[in-house]
């Protein structure tokens, strides 16, 4: 074949082959090392898919964002991740690109534009939207490419992300590397769809199918796609046809494939075909390509040898990178003293909790143009289901207050991606029960991103969520208080205000915090309470509890709307001569054990109260810590009081009895006073 008939510039084809050869060398070296027992780590081979990222590498730069999957080592190599850092990461070494904390399935390398690698199938798509939002809002011409396999097209997160990207015309490319296998299952066994690219048209944007094994055809097709997206014409779904010649995980060939099918796939394999084409067209000689391949092999071998010499990431790094500040991590025996917010400023205004939340957001959005709100129905005139954003869209515009589809995975993913890019999103989830439909994005991604990346990336995002219990009539799927889920997920900060002033101060601190934060807002308190709230930028430090009532006989510890019941119980107990000190935790993570323990040292007794189910709730954790730390100084063991072990009932009679009220709290205190 003559060079004029290639359909691609010879030098471009040569560069594509160079990347393919580099990817193939990495693949072969890993498989050889694993087979020989030279090293050990989990590996998902991408043998046969080399052409896709190698070709894309000629059309993007390190400024363009990429998200990939655990099978994405070929994407990482082509994107420009340093080989030494990549191998050291896969081996769990401290010189790894992420300190050895993420490993091969979780590489983040912002210097090359490789932002997130996820080991959850399909989960990268919602995050890609957030990266694309940041580029669009900043007026940058970056494109975001999110890579996933054909198996991921069955995941709801991909559908949610595609719908949101189409609605908002985001500069994102959904790159489906269709290798014909969803892990161990071939396509005909898991879908009746004739193709995957057609799904984009159903959602209102462009989809194309390209031959991912033909560098010339794929280059020309992808050039058109990337130009389209870079020009601001919206997202594109690319179905890149290829074939995975290796197993789902491990080394060797795809033993699930029929022998004739695998043989045919080998005939179409891009590395060998492109190499032969370069020689046939007279672009490169056999000697030139052999020299190139030898140099690449030497580079890969050197990177592996040096990575094996890198020290193993030590156990002393265990809690580093959970949060920016390691003192926020709860550790037995470590109870830091944090300064409180000081006296209330002189200038205040009477506000409800709804007004205080709106005011905190208004101040943050005025001060920082990269603070924005997204969630269901958050725009005007409604301003959110509870009106907490009313008027903000009118003042700041539709790009700063973004009503979303009813799609919680898409909401949290978009917030996460934009925060990784440096924005400060506020995502609203209507009820805490709804965490059930987006928990993967919350605890597998937002919570873990800093840690898995070794603080190379982090997620300064805020999630606001309502808790509907204690009011009656909302039923089991709108009334739970699910903070224990989040507290058992390292990497998330959680606050739960009990009054308007604290709501404003805590939310302002969350928005400014470098880590992902969740603020629970009790529906019972949103409109019923009015209080004096500081005017202007007012912040309450996270991890600082407040003594709401001094006492000497027992310490009541609570948060959120149960504080009202604790204060009422304290009043009732005072009539009986029992002096209860009441502590409002305000911040559940980080938690203020210092102030808790100091109070209980004084009173000798403690009762922890919360609206959440008592079994395995936060009260159990706090009581365990008090009993361990103060056992010899206690007059009675610390005890807890939470909701009965049942979903919140629709029946008011049941609900009001199953969640602690003032009378139940007072009764629990009387029990401990008998000791």
């Amino acid at each position: 074949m003559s060079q004029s008939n290639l359909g691609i510039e010879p030098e471009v084809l040569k560069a594509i082959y160079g990347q393919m050869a580099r990817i193939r060398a990495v693949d072969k070296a890993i498989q050889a090392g694993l087979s020989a027992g030279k090293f050990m780590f989990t590996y998902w081979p991408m043998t046969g898919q080399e052409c896709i990222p190698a070709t894309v590498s000629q059309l993007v730069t390190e400024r363009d964002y990429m998200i990939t999957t655990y099978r994405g080592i070929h994407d990482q190599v082509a994107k420009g991740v340093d080989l030494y850092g990549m191998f050291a990461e896969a081996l769990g070494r401290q010189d790894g690109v992420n300190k050895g904390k993420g490993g091969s399935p979780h590489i983040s390398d912002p210097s090359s534009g490789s932002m997130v690698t996820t080991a959850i199938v399909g989960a990268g798509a919602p995050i890609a939207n957030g990266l694309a939002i940041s580029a669009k809002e900043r007026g940058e011409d970056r494109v975001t490419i999110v890579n996933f396999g054909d198996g991921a097209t069955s995941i709801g997160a991909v559908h949610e992300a595609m719908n949101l990207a189409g609605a908002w015309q985001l500069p994102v490319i959904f790159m489906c590397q269709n290798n014909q296998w969803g892990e161990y299952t071939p396509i005909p066994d898991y879908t009746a769809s004739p193709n995957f690219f057609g799904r984009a048209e159903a959602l209102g944007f462009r989809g194309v199918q390209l031959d991912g094994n033909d560098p010339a055809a794929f280059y020309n097709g992808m050039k058109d796609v990337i130009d389209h997206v870079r020009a601001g014409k919206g997202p594109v779904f690319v179905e890149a046809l290829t074939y995975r010649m290796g197993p789902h995980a491990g080394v060797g060939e795809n033993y699930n494939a029929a022998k004739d099918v695998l043989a045919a796939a080998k005939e179409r394999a891009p590395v060998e075909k492109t190499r032969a084409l370069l020689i046939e067209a007279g672009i490169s000689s056999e000697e030139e390509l052999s020299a190139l391949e030898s140099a690449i092999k030497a580079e890969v071998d050197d990177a592996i040898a040096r990575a094996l010499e890198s020290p193993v990431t030590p156990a002393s790094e265990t809690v580093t990178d959970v949060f920016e500040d390691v003192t926020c991590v709860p550790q037995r025996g470590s109870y830091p003293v944090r300064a409180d917010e000081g006296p209330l400023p002189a200038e205040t205004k009477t506000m409800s909790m709804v007004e205080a939340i709106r005011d905190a957001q208004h101040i943050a959005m005025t001060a920082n143009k990269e603070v924005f709100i997204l969630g269901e129905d958050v725009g005007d005139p409604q301003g959110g289901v509870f009106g907490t954003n009313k008027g903000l869209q009118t003042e700041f515009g539709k790009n700063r207050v973004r009503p979303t589809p009813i799609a919680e995975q898409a909401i949290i993913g978009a917030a996460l991606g934009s925060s990784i890019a440096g924005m400060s999103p506020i995502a609203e989830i209507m009820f805490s029960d709804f965490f059930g439909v987006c928990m993967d994005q919350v605890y597998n991604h937002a919570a873990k991103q800093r840690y898995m990346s070794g603080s190379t990336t982090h997620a300064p995002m805020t999630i606001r969520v309502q808790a509907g219990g204690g009011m009656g009539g909302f039923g089991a799927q709108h009334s739970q208080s699910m903070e224990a889920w989040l507290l058992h997920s390292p990497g998330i900060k959680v606050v739960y205000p009990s009054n308007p002033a604290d709501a404003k101060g805590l939310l302002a601190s969350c928005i400014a915090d470098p880590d992902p934060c969740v603020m629970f807002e009790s529906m019972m308190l949103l409109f019923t309470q009015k209080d004096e709230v500081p005017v202007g930028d007012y912040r309450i430090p996270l991890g600082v509890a407040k003594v709401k009532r001094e006492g000497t006989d027992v310490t009541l510890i609570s948060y959120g709307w149960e504080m009202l019941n604790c204060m009422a119980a304290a009043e009732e107990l005072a009539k009986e001569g029992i002096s209860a000190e009441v502590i409002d935790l305000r911040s559940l993570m980080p938690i203020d054990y210092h102030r808790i323990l100091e109070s209980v040292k004084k009173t000798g007794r403690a009762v922890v109260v919360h609206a959440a189910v008592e079994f395995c709730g936060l009260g159990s954790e706090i009581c365990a810590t008090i009993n361990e730390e103060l056992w010899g100084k206690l007059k009675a063991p610390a005890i807890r009081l939470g909701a009965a072990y049942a979903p919140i009932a629709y029946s008011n009679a049941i609900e009001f009895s199953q969640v602690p009220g003032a009378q139940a709290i007072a009764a629990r205190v009387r029990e401990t006073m008998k000791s």
Side-chain angles (χ1 to χ4, degrees):
M1 179 183 289
S2 68
Q3 293 186 20
S4 60
N5 294 329
L6 286 173
I8 186 173
E9 289 295 320
E11 289 305 310
V12 174
L13 183 63
K14 192 173 179 179
I16 291 172
Y17 177 73
Q19 282 285 23
M20 282 198 279
R22 201 160 176 259
I23 293 166
R24 175 60 65 84
V26 167
D27 184 28
K28 290 177 70 174
I30 291 174
Q31 297 213 35
L34 292 172
S35 298
K38 185 177 180 180
F39 48 75
M40 181 178 293
F41 58 81
T42 307
Y43 184 55
W44 299 269
M46 42 65 219
T47 320
Q49 300 177 219
E50 300 89 352
C51 179
I52 296 170
T55 302
V56 170
S57 73
Q58 303 306 304
L59 295 164
V60 298
T61 72
E62 70 280 353
R63 292 188 67 257
D64 295 305
Y65 293 133
M66 183 192 77
I67 291 179
T68 191
T69 73
Y70 55 88
R71 196 186 303 285
I73 197 165
H74 58 321
D75 300 320
Q76 308 284 3
V77 172
K79 196 68 173 76
V81 178
D82 174 68
L83 291 186
Y84 168 60
M86 186 184 74
F87 282 121
E89 185 62 30
L91 293 166
R93 307 304 172 95
Q94 63 184 24
D95 290 340
V97 68
N98 304 124
K99 302 182 185 177
K101 291 187 170 184
S104 58
H106 302 298
I107 287 174
S108 296
D109 180 39
S111 65
S112 67
S114 181
M115 305 302 289
V116 173
T117 304
T118 176
I120 307 296
V121 173
I127 303 170
N129 282 342
L131 293 169
I133 287 169
S134 73
K136 187 171 184 177
E137 288 306 300
R138 293 166 176 169
E140 301 168 340
D141 67 349
R142 301 178 196 250
V143 298
T144 297
I145 299 177
V146 54
N147 295 281
F148 50 88
D150 52 281
T153 60
S154 300
I155 293 286
V158 173
H159 293 265
E160 289 190 24
M162 289 173 63
N163 183 54
L164 187 72
W168 290 355
Q169 289 291 284
L170 297 177
V172 61
I173 297 169
F174 296 94
M175 178 69 76
C176 174
Q177 298 190 24
N178 183 353
N179 63 22
Q180 315 299 313
W181 289 88
E183 297 187 353
Y184 297 100
T185 305
I187 289 174
D189 288 352
Y190 70 75
T191 183
S193 294
N195 58 59
F196 298 117
F197 74 94
R199 298 181 185 185
E201 183 178 349
L203 293 171
F205 63 95
R206 183 180 173 193
V208 299
Q209 188 180 72
L210 301 174
D211 186 346
N213 280 9
D214 183 333
F218 192 65
Y219 178 86
N220 291 318
M222 282 305 301
K223 185 177 187 306
D224 179 59
V225 166
I226 290 173
D227 288 346
H228 172 99
V229 175
R230 209 182 289 282
K233 296 180 180 179
V236 177
F237 185 100
V238 176
E239 182 180 0
L241 297 174
T242 183
Y243 196 86
R244 193 189 79 211
M245 294 191 293
H248 168 58
V251 301
E253 294 188 340
N254 187 343
Y255 50 81
N256 291 106
K259 290 183 178 180
D260 59 331
V261 174
L262 188 58
K266 288 180 179 179
E267 291 294 319
R268 299 190 302 272
V271 177
E272 291 77 11
K273 279 183 62 178
T274 305
R275 189 182 196 281
L277 180 60
L278 287 170
I279 295 172
E280 181 185 346
I283 298 170
S284 301
S285 67
E286 170 67 39
E287 292 73 23
E288 288 174 327
L289 294 182
S290 294
L292 171 68
E293 291 153 2
S294 294
I296 289 170
K297 183 179 184 302
E299 177 193 10
V300 172
D301 289 346
D302 175 68
I304 292 175
R306 289 191 293 127
L308 286 167
E309 293 298 316
S310 175
V312 172
T313 305
S316 60
E317 280 281 318
T318 299
V319 297
T320 305
D321 302 313
V322 175
F323 297 118
E324 183 185 60
D325 180 359
V326 73
T327 67
C328 291
V329 176
Q331 298 181 75
R332 184 179 289 109
S334 176
Y335 309 116
V337 182
R338 302 182 182 95
D340 64 22
E341 69 274 22
L344 207 64
E347 188 178 2
T348 63
K349 181 180 178 181
T350 303
M351 297 184 194
S352 66
M353 186 176 281
V354 162
E355 292 169 326
I357 291 166
R358 190 184 306 138
D359 190 40
Q361 293 181 123
H362 183 273
I363 291 169
M365 294 176 77
T366 301
N368 181 359
K369 67 180 182 179
E370 296 211 315
V371 174
F372 72 99
I373 298 170
L374 70 164
E376 296 160 16
D377 308 310
V378 296
D380 288 330
Q382 183 65 29
V385 171
F386 305 102
T388 50
N389 316 295
K390 192 178 290 290
L392 296 178
Q393 187 184 62
T394 301
E395 180 170 352
F396 293 101
K398 292 185 176 180
N399 288 349
R400 299 284 303 281
V401 181
R402 292 173 171 259
T404 66
I406 299 174
E408 281 80 6
Q409 289 187 90
I411 294 167
I412 300 302
L416 172 57
S418 63
S419 72
I420 289 173
M423 300 185 81
S424 298
I426 305 168
E428 182 175 301
I429 301 296
M430 282 189 197
F431 289 92
S432 83
D433 309 72
F434 298 174
F435 272 125
V437 292
C438 59
M439 202 60 173
D440 172 60
Q441 289 292 324
V442 176
Y443 95 97
N444 261 331
H445 292 89
K448 298 175 182 176
Q449 188 58 37
R450 178 186 287 279
Y451 194 82
M452 293 189 304
S453 73
S455 289
T456 300
T457 55
H458 65 287
M461 59 185 284
T462 301
I463 302 172
R464 293 182 36 246
V465 63
Q466 282 77 38
M471 297 182 67
F474 282 94
Q477 294 179 343
H478 285 71
S479 304
Q480 303 294 145
S481 192
M482 304 308 299
E483 64 271 16
W485 275 11
L486 303 176
L487 296 171
H488 204 66
S489 305
I492 306 174
K493 294 176 178 175
V494 182
V495 301
Y496 209 144
S498 67
N499 60 77
D502 285 359
K504 177 177 178 177
L506 292 170
L507 180 55
S509 290
C510 286
I511 295 169
D513 200 87
D515 296 307
C517 299
V518 175
M519 184 164 100
F520 282 84
E521 301 161 9
S522 171
M523 281 181 58
M524 181 177 285
L525 303 177
L526 287 176
F527 303 99
T528 58
Q529 272 194 320
K530 291 210 168 184
D531 200 357
E532 290 304 305
V533 177
V535 173
D537 187 6
Y538 172 67
R539 303 183 189 184
I540 294 173
L542 303 189
V544 177
K546 190 175 186 68
V547 176
K548 300 289 284 189
R549 179 188 176 109
E550 299 278 353
T552 56
D553 295 326
V554 62
T555 300
L556 283 172
I557 302 159
S558 192
Y559 50 90
W561 67 270
E562 282 289 3
M563 279 299 301
L564 300 181
N565 289 328
C566 285
M567 294 295 282
E571 287 288 339
E572 180 179 333
L573 292 164
K575 297 173 185 176
E576 304 170 20
I578 299 172
S579 175
E581 182 149 298
V582 183
I583 292 181
D584 187 346
L585 287 179
R586 306 193 295 188
S587 173
L588 312 186
M589 180 61 64
I591 190 169
D592 189 354
Y593 270 130
H594 169 73
R595 286 175 173 82
I596 292 170
L597 295 173
E598 288 301 305
S599 174
V600 181
K601 283 178 187 176
K602 177 176 66 173
T603 65
R605 299 180 179 89
V607 179
V608 186
V609 181
H610 51 63
V613 171
E614 181 176 290
F615 184 78
C616 288
L618 177 59
S620 299
E621 162 60 33
I622 295 174
C623 288
T625 299
I626 293 171
N627 289 331
E628 286 182 16
E629 293 295 326
L630 302 179
W631 179 244
K633 302 174 184 177
L634 293 175
K635 299 172 184 175
I639 57 176
R640 80 271 194 217
L641 178 62
Y645 189 80
I648 297 296
Y650 186 77
S651 161
N652 287 358
I654 298 177
E655 179 175 358
F656 295 154
S657 67
Q658 71 185 121
V659 177
Q663 294 301 318
I665 296 168
R668 195 76 168 122
V669 171
R670 294 184 192 105
E671 288 179 30
T672 194
M673 292 300 296
K674 294 175 183 177
S675 300

